[in-house]
Amino acid sequence: MRKKEEQSKAKEKLLEAAQDLMLTKGYVATTVDDICKAAKLTKGSFFHYFKSKDDLAKAVLKRFCCSSQEGIKDHCQCGQNEHDPRKRVMAHINHVVELSKDSKANKGCLIGKFAQELSETHPEIRVLCEEGFDQWSKMFKKDLSEAKAKYAPKAQFDVGSLADHFIAIVEGAQILAKAKRDRKIVEKSMMHFKEYLEILFK
């Protein structure tokens, strides 16, 4: 039992180290040696759990997507304690703003980073990125659909397209914030999106 726990901890260290490094340096610039050094484990440990760096990247991406989705559910209380869909929609936006202010949590989006860096060269990872974005969009679309039905039933906007637009703004704002070294750009972008939603829901 203890050995299994130790193995589980070792694997988690590799995943955590890889995620931190790949968010900071990117996939290509991160080597297996870098990951092992950061995790304080040997290459033997690495290849015990993963066949290759590609294999590890897929596991890291899946882990990141699951963690992000759980974070959204916990923060937005989607379908649970908050019964007003409009408030849940705004909670999605507030969650992005809060993450942008948290220096520990705000390391960027691994889905976006991999999508930019690897879509043309790693088809399997591109598919995982697509699925990650689709799941995120689906979560937001659910609350948008309920909010539209309650507050703007006759409005003509498409909630699926709007959910994708939200993700595009978040990802674009993060890129711009990094380039300009200004995390407030994310918050400003979210405030503009909020104002846009207020117009749609009137």
Side-chain angles (χ1 to χ4, degrees), residues 80-130:
Q80 298 175 15
N81 300 329
E82 183 51 70
H83 299 293
D84 186 342
R86 186 170 177 169
K87 289 183 179 179
R88 295 202 304 271
V89 166
M90 294 306 169
H92 279 268
I93 301 170
N94 293 335
H95 181 53
V96 173
V97 174
E98 289 181 18
L99 285 177
S100 74
K101 294 179 179 180
D102 188 337
S103 59
K104 292 183 179 179
N106 183 36
K107 296 178 180 178
C109 176
L110 193 67
I111 312 173
K113 198 166 191 74
F114 276 8
Q116 291 180 76
E117 187 179 6
L118 304 174
S119 288
E120 299 301 323
T121 56
H122 294 69
E124 291 183 4
I125 291 178
R126 186 207 63 76
V127 170
L128 290 176
C129 290
E130 181 182 12

Side-chain angles (χ1 to χ4, degrees), residues 8-95:
S8 179
K9 286 180 180 179
K11 186 176 182 180
E12 184 62 24
K13 283 182 179 179
L14 289 166
L15 289 167
E16 185 66 32
Q19 179 173 308
D20 287 342
L21 287 167
M22 289 176 182
L23 278 170
T24 303
K25 299 169 59 176
Y27 172 85
V28 175
T30 299
T31 66
V32 172
D33 286 333
D34 291 335
I35 295 166
C36 292
K37 183 177 179 180
K40 297 180 180 179
L41 293 167
T42 65
K43 269 192 176 181
S45 295
F46 179 94
F47 288 110
H48 175 74
Y49 298 108
F50 305 103
K51 297 177 182 178
S52 63
K53 192 172 77 166
D54 278 13
D55 187 38
L56 170 65
K58 293 172 193 174
V60 170
L61 185 56
K62 290 176 183 177
R63 175 179 177 269
F64 180 87
C65 290
C66 288
S67 176
S68 297
Q69 289 167 20
E70 287 303 314
I72 293 170
K73 288 178 183 177
D74 291 343
H75 182 88
C76 302
Q77 299 178 325
C78 298
Q80 298 175 15
N81 300 329
E82 183 51 70
H83 299 293
D84 186 342
R86 186 170 177 169
K87 289 183 179 179
R88 295 202 304 271
V89 166
M90 294 306 169
H92 279 268
I93 301 170
N94 293 335
H95 181 53

